[in-house]
Amino acid sequence: DGFVASLSQSAAATQITLTGLPASAVTGQPLTFRATVTSDTATPYGSVVFLDGSHILSTVTLDLSGVAILKLPGLAAGTHNLSVRFLADDDFAASTSATQPLTIAVNIPPIGNVQGVTAKAIVGWAADLNALSSHVTIMILIDGVVRAVSTASLAAPNPGAAIGAGHGFAIA
């Protein structure tokens, strides 16, 4: 007596990529990750889950172009295995990005020592243990006012073999 019709549609395949991971990072360094979801049929909508291993960092809604941004104030020291997962719905199938490792180093403040003060100069050394190839800027302040600026880039005095040469300063 009647006609019954059914229409079924399978969810469209999706691809997801995770970008924005720095080559290296330190504790307390702000991080921004970007997830982009694409499909051959249309721009996907919905949400993605940013993951560190199996730990959920955050769930973020895609914008109209299929992009989700996660901004973090930083991650703990150690190796993090980051990925992002697009959550399936009736129109789009779930997908998961490749896992990308990110190692977070401990952010150590610069160290140094004033080794001598004379009527003519202040002499010492300073080093940034997070970036030993860089040179620390030294500022002399008197009553909160900068009176002299120098860079710790001299060959001597040497604070030790562990830090290496090239971190001395002499401010005249």
Side-chain angles (χ1 to χ4, degrees), residues 7-122:
L7 177 63
S8 68
Q9 174 181 339
S10 62
T14 61
Q15 302 78 39
I16 187 166
T17 56
L18 174 62
T19 57
L21 277 70
S24 62
V26 295
T27 53
Q29 176 181 336
L31 301 166
T32 300
F33 305 128
R34 176 187 176 107
T36 304
V37 183
T38 59
S39 175
D40 291 339
T41 61
T43 301
Y45 54 86
S47 298
V48 298
V49 177
F50 288 87
L51 300 162
D52 181 357
S54 61
H55 173 74
I56 295 173
L57 295 172
S58 186
T59 301
V60 179
T61 301
L62 294 171
D63 67 15
L64 295 177
S65 59
V67 174
I69 304 290
L70 175 62
K71 294 183 179 189
L72 296 174
L75 289 170
T79 300
H80 299 269
N81 294 305
L82 303 172
S83 64
V84 62
R85 180 178 303 139
F86 174 65
L87 303 175
D89 61 22
D90 291 340
D91 296 321
F92 297 101
S95 57
T96 302
S97 73
T99 298
Q100 299 182 45
L102 175 61
T103 300
I104 306 292
V106 175
N107 188 12
I108 302 169
I111 61 170
N113 187 36
V114 172
Q115 294 181 307
V117 178
T118 68
K120 294 186 178 188
I122 299 172

